[in-house]
Amino acid sequence: MSKYAVSVFTESCKGLPAEQTFALLEDLGVTQIELGAGGATDTSHLSPSTLLRPGAAMGQFRDLLASHGLSVSALVLATNPIHPDKARAAADHQTFADTCRLASALGTDTLVLYAGCAGDCASSKHPNFIGACQTEEDREVLTWQWERVLIPYWKSAAAIAGSYGIRRLAFDMKPGNLVHNPHTLLRLREEVGSTIGAAVDPANLIGQGIDPAAAIRSLSGAVFHMRASDLVINAEYRAVNGFLGANAQTPLCFPRAVGNGHDAAWWQAVMSALRDIGYDRCVSLRYEDAHVPAEEGLPLAIKALQRLV
């Protein structure tokens, strides 16, 4: 039976300086970390602008990681490089290129990222996410988004990533992005190539009504990164309103840490699915809990994950 290395997404330690974070994770038996590198992710543990400048900063950062026995499982960016606002798209594309450089320098070949969402035509100002394709207009928009924007962009971006030795573009399948479930992930992989794969984040799947274990099996050969995250559905709200249109006043779901949401049997089914498809990389904890603050819950969640893997 495979035993997976435990990684932690350092956004789980937001507000704690890098050296203290690395020391804490070392004490908790963690050997790999997933670092925020740009866009909406927390970059305080990496400081991309500092590391990308010429000088000693990159070497010092690598030494700091090594002194705590840590390696980088992936760099994470939350951007939309196909945004219809051209200035926004250009800035997010530059973040992508910079993150490829950082990943190469830090010895990881994996980025966790979003595919993004385009507008509905060349003159759009805002992204247009079609969650349910039901009309001819919906089909026309999706065809334009995929054939004119998404596929051409990621073909070009994959070539840039390859030039830096990045072999895994692991897309987080989150609603609001054109790649948001296994079907859309596999479609982009077929169009662009084997550089495209999935970052399986159960919380982002549960909120769509997707069974993570079933999703993993459908993605055999295309799972590049695995997160340990959890989500509990507000069953009363879902029974009346379904999965669409949830609001902040009456949320559809609540984030829970590993050990505080689904039970061990549920998680074992997820781990079994990973083993069944031959996944051989790390499992990375993303700590977010609606009820337990990180300073209290993170060590417990890490221990729970270590038992599972």
Side-chain angles (χ1 to χ4, degrees):
M1 180 177 289
S2 301
K3 181 177 180 180
Y4 298 115
V6 170
S7 176
V8 171
F9 183 15
T10 55
E11 195 169 76
S12 307
C13 304
K14 192 179 295 185
L16 194 65
E19 189 158 2
Q20 288 179 246
T21 295
F22 301 161
L24 170 65
L25 296 179
E26 178 187 17
D27 288 345
L28 292 170
V30 175
T31 58
Q32 298 186 23
I33 54 173
E34 184 184 353
L35 287 158
T41 61
D42 175 49
T43 62
S44 61
H45 298 101
L46 182 64
S47 187
S49 60
T50 299
L51 296 186
L52 285 169
R53 289 198 296 264
M58 179 61 77
Q60 292 169 350
F61 187 76
R62 287 195 298 252
D63 290 345
L64 177 62
L65 290 174
S67 71
H68 293 289
L70 296 170
S71 61
V72 179
S73 61
L75 295 188
V76 185
L77 58 160
T79 58
N80 184 4
I82 58 171
H83 197 287
D85 182 316
K86 291 181 172 51
R88 164 77 180 274
D92 283 358
H93 173 72
Q94 186 60 53
T95 298
F96 169 78
D98 289 344
T99 304
C100 288
R101 289 173 54 203
L102 281 171
S104 179
L106 290 170
T108 182
D109 65 357
T110 304
L111 302 187
V112 175
L113 67 173
Y114 297 138
C117 186
D120 55 20
C121 64
S123 59
S124 296
K125 294 182 178 180
H126 305 289
N128 186 349
F129 175 67
I130 298 175
C133 184
Q134 296 182 328
T135 68
E136 185 60 34
E137 288 179 333
D138 292 340
R139 284 186 284 274
E140 289 176 1
V141 170
L142 280 170
T143 297
W144 185 85
Q145 289 177 323
W146 276 78
E147 295 183 0
R148 297 288 297 277
V149 185
L150 183 74
I151 293 169
Y153 175 79
W154 284 110
K155 281 184 176 179
S156 174
I160 292 170
S163 73
Y164 287 101
I166 309 304
R167 300 189 298 116
R168 296 180 175 90
L169 297 178
F171 288 106
D172 191 347
M173 298 173 286
K174 186 174 183 179
N177 292 273
L178 294 178
V179 171
H180 57 90
N181 59 19
H183 170 74
T184 49
L185 186 286
L186 291 172
R187 179 183 173 190
L188 187 63
R189 180 178 169 90
E190 182 178 357
E191 294 284 355
V192 176
S194 59
T195 303
I196 304 298
V200 175
D201 189 321
N204 289 334
L205 301 178
I206 295 166
Q208 300 181 67
I210 297 171
D211 176 355
I216 288 166
R217 288 193 169 89
S218 78
L219 291 164
S220 181
V223 176
F224 288 169
H225 190 74
M226 180 66 202
R227 286 245 180 91
S229 66
D230 206 347
L231 201 71
V232 174
I233 298 295
N234 181 338
E236 181 179 355
Y237 182 92
R238 181 184 62 183
V240 175
N241 298 295
F243 281 100
L244 302 180
N247 58 71
Q249 288 71 41
T250 311
L252 169 65
C253 45
F254 305 94
R256 298 307 312 267
V258 174
N260 294 340
H262 287 85
D263 62 19
W266 186 93
W267 276 104
Q268 288 294 353
V270 172
M271 295 300 159
S272 293
L274 286 174
R275 295 183 178 103
D276 288 347
I277 67 166
Y279 179 77
D280 61 358
R281 296 172 64 78
C282 70
V283 177
S284 186
L285 179 73
R286 177 167 72 86
Y287 186 87
E288 188 179 8
D289 196 295
H291 305 297
V292 186
E295 58 267 25
E296 178 184 342
L298 179 63
L300 298 175
I302 291 173
K303 289 177 182 177
L305 179 58
Q306 288 167 336
R307 289 192 296 271
L308 281 169
V309 302

